[in-house]
């Protein structure tokens, strides 16, 4: 890793300037657009973010990254969060597959996969959950059998975000029987255009068709696409996952702050909505406190990672905290915008559309990446070490 | 600087000192015990006998004090010895050495003729009283009539004091008072974190000991999840304090405010939760959870947490400085 810039905040200032110049038009999420940004436009923006140094910040230069530290990553993410920027199309590639490949991949795999994640040539999806293995991931049944041609995969995945638009799938499959639970699991980087893969979109409550079911029927996967040896890949991946659960979308608390800023600013554009806002001022102050405390979770984590500490089960703390804090904000925001007058002006209509979308999308936040109940179980069992029997 | 020292180094000493303080009824003896261990002057400058350490070194001491239900104006001693160190070094030295005990009347001003919320106000020799112009005066308590402020406050024994006319004594400027109040937020939050940690530990210990319906309480998911949420609250408080002390630049005032207001809200809620886990026993005087609840509520009152949330609400809706939304017209 190279050393940090001498002037603290310089990296963030660079990111802010770049965003002010490049986050324009229909890329902005704080306005209703007649022509929403297309997938290609979003991918182009994300690739440009990488070239400007706003993505792949901590990845080694040899693999297309910028070779900096989590400190610069945090600085840039503060600015990304404060801006009304779209969520990354390739967050699975950048925040899940990429770090796992860096941890367990061969040198050839790193050179093959990693740069294309950052240039957006390869968008990745995550093939972990199954109809019978959601929160209970170890119950997964998708099988991988070794043959003379490599591996043959059969099974079904679900909740695979963005699968229909992805080039690669980070696939978790089983080499043994279901009863083996955490043993005999193997990780693959599967090209999504491999014959035998069938993708079906699922409409989610916001009306989007982002989620998918993915069916694998006698899909042949080359040995070269296996990440780590069976078992080994998964155990390394779980370590990466515990970090990712805690640190992905590091911009989150600043994004929540930005959403709150937007709501308040919009309400101040009309005396009638300002009067409504006043009635919620104390509730919003509580939300603002929670957003600030969430920054404490994030920054503590960054310091711990920089100090080389293990994250382990404590990654459940920020996940639980941010998901519930955001839902609380979203519920209040939805109630406020529902009271906007029928002849509301454009700034209010923009805010209303955004807050309604946030409200619906936030319902998923206490479900994905380990439900609230799973996080509470992890905290009780693995941090508090509470006994179940004497 | 201070690379050879870790705030954790103070944990063990602080715990032992709090136990020793709990074993005596004498306020002056507690002052000596705290002073001998160097705990009163941990953040005061070396020139007045302090250790001159950064505020993060006060955190484990305050956590131990909160957990140990310390009946002494420790927060006030730390704040006053730092605030008085330059202008009035003799008084600061006397506070650091435990020779004299001072407290602060957190509620009311000199002009009111009556001030309140002064921890151990009946036993302290000196009392800082705020003035309406933002300054403050450290006066002697001799001759002032003191009575306990509040039923909800056993260990701090906060006092209400009737003032007899204009006060004389050592003066603190409005700037010094503002700094003192600002620093108080973090010290109180750390104190509350310690109190919360003790409540959570007591609840976890009981849940892993008590059997109902043939099973340990800690085997029931409803209680496991309750305790997990309380741990989340505790760790959130601690991270808030750590962040507020690590100087996040222009974000510092909000970081301090959030650390304090978060602790003031979450701490008492964790004590309430522990009382619930204890069931009927939790409602008894004998189980000390109510003392933690009282202690934390008293700190929230002294720090005027409820009013501060209202003030934050006012500031919040008065507009945002986020440049991304500056094109939206502001008509209010």
């Amino acid at each position: 890793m190279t050393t940090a810039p001498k002037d603290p905040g310089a990296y963030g200032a660079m990111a802010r300037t770049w965003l002010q110049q490049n986050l324009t038009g229909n890329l902005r999420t704080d306005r209703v657009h007649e022509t929403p940004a297309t997938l290609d436009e979003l991918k182009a923006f994300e690739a440009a973010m990488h070239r400007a140094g706003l993505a792949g910040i901590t990845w080694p230069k040899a693999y297309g990254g910028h070779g900096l530290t989590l400190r610069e990553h945090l600085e840039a993410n503060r600015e990304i969060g404060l801006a009304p920027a779209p969520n990354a199309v390739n967050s699975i590639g950048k925040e899940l597959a990429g770090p796992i490949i860096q941890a367990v991949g061969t040198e050839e795999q790193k050179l093959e996969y990693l740069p294309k994640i950052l240039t957006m040539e390869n968008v990745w999806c995550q093939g972990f959950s199954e109809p019978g293995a959601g929160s209970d991931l170890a119950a997964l049944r998708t099988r991988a059998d070794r043959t003379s041609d490599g591996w043959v995969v059969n099974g079904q995945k679900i909740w695979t975000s963005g699968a229909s638009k992805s080039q690669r799938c980070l696939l978790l499959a089983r080499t043994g029987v279901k009863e083996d639970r955490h043993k005999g699991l193997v990780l693959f980087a599967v090209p999504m255009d491999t014959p035998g893969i069938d993708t079906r979109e699922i409409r989610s409550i916001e009306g989007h068709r982002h989620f998918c079911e993915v069916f694998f029927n006698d899909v042949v996967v080359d040995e070269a696409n296996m990440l780590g040896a069976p078992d080994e890949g998964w155990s390394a991946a779980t370590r990466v996952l515990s970090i990712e659960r805690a640190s992905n979308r590091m911009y989150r608390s600043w994004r929540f702050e930005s959403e709150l800023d937007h709501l308040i600013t919009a309400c101040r554009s009309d005396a009638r909505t300002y009067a409504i806002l006043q009635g919620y001022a104390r509730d919003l102050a509580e939300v603002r406190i929670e957003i600030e405390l969430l920054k404490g979770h994030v920054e503590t984590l960054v310091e711990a990672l920089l100090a080389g500490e293990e994250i382990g089960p404590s990654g459940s703390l920020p996940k639980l905290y941010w998901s519930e804090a955001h839902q609380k904000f979203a519920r209040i925001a939805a109630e406020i915008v529902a009271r906007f007058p029928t002849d509301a002006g454009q700034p209010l209509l923009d805010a209303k559309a955004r807050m309604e979308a946030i409200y619906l999308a936030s319902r998923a936040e206490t479900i994905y990446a380990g439900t609230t109940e799973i996080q509470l179980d992890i905290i009780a069992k693995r941090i508090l070490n509470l006994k179940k029997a004497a | 600087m201070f690379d050879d020292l870790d705030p954790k180094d103070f944990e063990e000493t602080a715990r032992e000192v709090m136990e020793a303080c709990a074993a005596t009824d004498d306020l002056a003896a507690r002052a000596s015990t705290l002073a001998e261990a160097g705990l009163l002057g941990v953040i005061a400058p070396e020139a007045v006998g302090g250790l001159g350490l950064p505020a993060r070194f006060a955190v484990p001491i305050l956590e131990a004090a909160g957990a140990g239900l310390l009946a002494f104006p420790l927060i006030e001693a730390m704040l006053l010895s730092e605030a008085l160190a330059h202008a009035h070094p003799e008084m600061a030295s006397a506070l650091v050495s435990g020779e004299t005990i001072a407290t602060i009347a957190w509620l009311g001003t000199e002009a009111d003729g009556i001030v309140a919320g002064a921890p151990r106000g009946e036993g302290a020799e000196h009392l800082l009283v705020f003035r309406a112009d933002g300054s403050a005066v450290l006066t002697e308590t001799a001759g002032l009539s003191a009575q306990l402020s509040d039923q909800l406050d056993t260990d701090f024994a906060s006092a209400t004091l009737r003032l007899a006319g204009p006060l004389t004594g050592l003066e603190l400027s409005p700037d010094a008072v503002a700094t003192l109040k600002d620093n108080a937020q973090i010290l109180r939050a750390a104190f509350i974190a310690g109190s919360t940690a003790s409540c959570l530990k007591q609840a976890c210990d009981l849940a892993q000991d008590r059997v109902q319906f043939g099973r340990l309480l800690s085997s029931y998911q409803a209680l496991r999840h309750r305790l997990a949420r309380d741990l989340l609250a505790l760790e959130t408080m601690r991270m808030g304090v750590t962040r507020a002390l690590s100087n996040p630049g222009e974000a510092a005032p909000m970081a301090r405010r959030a650390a304090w207001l978060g602790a003031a809200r979450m701490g008492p809620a964790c004590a309430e939760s522990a009382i619930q886990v204890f069931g009927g026993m939790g409602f008894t005087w004998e189980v000390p959870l109510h003392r933690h609840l009282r202690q934390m509520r008293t700190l929230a009152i002294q720090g005027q947490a409820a009013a501060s949330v209202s003030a934050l609400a006012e500031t919040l809706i008065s507009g945002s400085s986020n440049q991304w939304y500056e094109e939206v017209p502001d008509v209010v």
Side-chain angles (χ1 to χ4, degrees):
Chain A
M1 287 190 194
T2 56
T3 51
K6 287 200 175 88
D7 175 14
Y11 208 81
M14 178 280 291
R16 178 182 294 207
T17 304
W18 188 87
L19 286 164
Q20 281 166 346
Q21 288 163 357
N22 293 277
L23 179 66
T24 54
N26 60 2
L27 291 166
R28 289 182 61 148
T29 55
D30 60 334
R31 291 172 193 169
V32 178
H33 304 289
E34 274 184 36
T35 321
T38 63
L39 180 64
D40 283 344
E41 286 170 326
L42 291 169
K43 284 165 76 169
F45 177 67
E46 221 168 301
M49 278 178 81
H50 164 243
R51 290 193 298 275
L54 276 69
I57 296 168
T58 63
W59 292 20
K61 287 185 174 174
Y63 310 129
H66 296 288
L68 296 167
T69 71
L70 269 178
R71 241 176 230 121
E72 287 81 41
H73 181 78
L74 176 61
E75 273 191 44
N77 273 273
R78 282 188 189 125
E79 297 302 329
I80 293 168
L82 287 172
N87 280 332
V89 172
N90 204 8
S91 70
I92 296 293
K94 282 183 264 193
E95 306 206 278
L96 190 79
I100 288 176
I101 293 162
Q102 287 176 52
V104 304
T106 62
E107 190 59 24
E108 292 73 31
Q109 288 173 330
K110 291 177 190 173
L111 290 168
E112 163 69 15
Y113 300 137
L114 295 173
K116 289 177 186 167
I117 291 174
L118 297 174
T119 60
M120 297 297 289
E121 277 171 79
N122 281 352
V123 173
W124 284 64
C125 60
Q126 176 189 2
F128 283 17
S129 293
E130 297 183 6
S135 292
D136 182 12
L137 187 60
L140 72 89
R141 310 167 71 126
T142 295
R143 285 196 55 78
D145 294 296
R146 220 170 201 149
T147 68
S148 52
D149 296 335
W151 294 85
V152 175
V153 175
N154 280 288
Q156 183 196 346
K157 295 290 172 180
I158 196 166
W159 319 129
T160 316
S161 298
S164 56
K165 301 168 187 81
S166 297
Q167 283 71 49
R168 293 262 169 188
C169 179
L170 181 71
L171 178 73
L172 186 63
R174 179 176 294 294
T175 57
V177 293
K178 190 163 118 348
E179 288 66 30
D180 289 346
R181 300 283 295 171
H182 292 99
K183 293 200 186 96
L185 295 176
V186 59
L187 264 181
F188 295 107
V190 181
M192 287 299 284
D193 57 3
T194 312
I197 298 179
D198 181 24
T199 301
R200 209 174 292 163
E201 292 175 338
I202 300 171
R203 198 171 183 197
S204 58
I205 65 172
E206 327 105 283
H208 297 162
R209 296 181 185 279
H210 190 55
F211 275 158
C212 294
E213 290 176 287
V214 185
F215 298 88
F216 295 82
N217 289 310
D218 292 331
V219 173
V220 178
V221 181
D222 203 70
E223 192 79 31
N225 288 334
M226 181 169 66
L227 295 170
D231 286 335
E232 182 192 78
W234 175 241
S235 65
T238 51
R239 284 201 303 279
V240 175
L241 280 169
S242 74
I243 296 170
E244 295 311 305
R245 172 180 290 162
S247 66
N248 73 2
R249 296 196 176 172
M250 197 168 276
Y251 56 73
R252 205 173 260 122
S253 47
W254 291 274
R255 177 63 48 78
F256 297 169
E257 183 181 346
S258 182
E259 292 166 357
L260 176 59
D261 288 342
H262 185 196
L263 176 67
I264 289 167
T265 310
C267 286
R268 290 179 60 86
S269 71
D270 186 317
R272 296 168 299 173
T273 51
Y274 180 66
I276 296 170
L277 181 71
Q278 284 177 307
Y280 292 90
R282 232 186 128 84
D283 295 333
L284 293 174
E286 297 283 359
V287 166
R288 183 65 187 82
I289 291 166
E290 289 180 5
I291 290 170
E292 199 65 16
L293 292 172
L294 177 59
K295 293 176 188 173
H297 277 274
V298 175
E299 291 174 5
T300 303
L301 192 88
V302 167
E303 290 304 318
L305 289 170
L306 285 167
E309 291 173 25
E310 287 277 321
I311 300 305
S314 61
S316 292
L317 297 171
K319 166 64 179 49
L320 182 58
Y321 197 73
W322 74 252
S323 57
E324 295 195 337
H326 195 223
Q327 283 187 348
K328 181 168 153 188
F329 163 69
R331 216 178 286 121
I332 297 168
E335 197 173 305
I336 292 172
V337 301
R339 294 173 60 185
F340 283 178
T342 48
D343 62 344
Q346 194 58 43
L348 288 167
L349 295 177
D350 287 340
K352 186 170 194 238
R354 188 181 187 191
M355 298 306 146
E356 285 171 344
I358 288 168
Y359 170 68
L360 286 174
S362 75
R363 300 317 310 165
E365 293 168 351
T366 49
I367 300 170
Y368 63 61
T371 63
T372 293
E373 290 70 23
I374 294 287
Q375 309 302 345
L376 289 167
D377 279 347
I378 291 171
I379 294 166
K381 182 179 175 185
R382 295 179 57 203
I383 304 181
L384 284 172
N385 298 310
L386 291 177
K387 292 186 289 189
K388 282 198 168 174
Chain B
M1 269 200 341
F2 319 114
D3 282 350
D4 51 336
L5 273 177
D6 188 320
K8 285 187 193 308
D9 298 341
F10 287 86
E11 280 176 13
E12 188 57 37
T13 305
R15 194 161 40 237
E16 288 166 11
V17 168
M18 300 312 156
E19 282 170 18
C21 287
T24 174
D25 284 335
D26 182 33
L27 197 61
R30 288 186 201 129
S32 305
T33 307
L34 288 161
E36 277 164 25
L39 303 190
L40 293 178
V42 67
I43 54 175
E46 289 175 78
V48 297
L51 298 178
L53 292 169
R56 67 176 190 275
F57 286 85
V59 170
I61 297 166
L62 291 160
E63 277 217 24
L69 295 161
L70 178 68
F72 186 86
L74 175 64
I75 291 172
E76 289 73 14
M78 286 181 171
L79 291 170
L80 286 169
S81 59
E82 196 184 19
L84 295 165
H86 292 293
H88 307 288
E90 308 79 20
M91 177 58 79
S93 296
L95 291 170
V96 167
S97 66
E99 286 165 45
T100 191
I101 298 169
T103 189
I104 299 174
W106 290 104
L107 306 174
T109 62
E110 184 186 21
D112 301 329
I114 186 162
V115 291
R120 293 284 146 181
E122 88 300 358
E125 292 138 308
H126 299 273
L127 174 74
L128 188 78
V129 175
F130 298 123
R131 286 179 168 149
D133 67 358
S135 68
V137 56
L138 187 72
T139 188
E140 292 187 6
T141 55
L144 300 182
S145 78
Q147 65 184 81
L148 290 183
S149 290
D150 195 339
Q151 285 295 313
L152 279 178
D153 173 20
T154 49
D155 293 283
F156 277 153
S158 296
T160 298
L161 294 108
R162 200 167 288 280
L163 310 175
L167 302 173
T168 54
L170 305 180
E171 307 265 339
L172 279 185
S173 68
D175 280 351
V177 171
T179 303
L180 177 146
K181 287 185 174 175
D182 198 28
N183 291 340
Q185 297 186 101
I186 297 303
L187 303 192
R188 284 196 194 100
F191 203 102
I192 287 178
S195 196
T196 303
S198 173
C199 292
L200 179 59
K201 178 162 192 322
Q202 291 177 59
C204 288
D205 288 350
L206 178 96
Q208 293 180 94
D209 183 52
R210 184 166 166 80
V211 173
Q212 288 285 277
F213 301 101
R215 287 162 55 187
L216 279 182
L217 290 188
S218 60
S219 71
Y220 292 99
Q221 193 181 57
L223 288 174
R224 295 173 72 82
H225 284 191
R226 173 188 283 279
L227 294 167
R229 284 190 180 281
D230 292 342
L231 179 77
L232 174 63
L234 171 61
E235 293 303 327
T236 300
M237 265 182 240
R238 284 176 165 158
M239 287 186 258
V241 169
T242 304
R243 177 167 184 267
L245 288 172
S246 64
N247 293 317
E250 61 191 35
M254 186 60 208
R256 283 197 288 270
R257 210 167 181 185
W260 158 235
L261 295 177
R265 183 167 53 80
M266 292 184 281
C270 288
E272 292 165 1
S273 180
I275 288 171
Q276 181 72 17
V277 172
F278 268 70
M281 282 304 294
F283 193 64
T284 63
W285 191 270
E286 180 191 344
V287 172
L289 293 171
H290 71 100
R291 291 166 62 191
H292 284 283
L293 179 62
R294 288 165 193 274
Q295 169 173 275
M296 289 193 271
R297 285 179 51 89
T298 300
L299 283 167
I301 292 165
Q302 289 169 359
Q304 302 183 54
S308 298
V309 175
S310 298
L312 174 63
E314 282 297 310
T315 310
L316 190 65
I317 66 165
S318 72
S320 148
S321 59
N322 190 321
Q323 295 170 357
W324 287 98
Y325 310 117
E326 63 192 11
E327 286 168 29
V328 176
D330 190 310
V331 306
V332 182

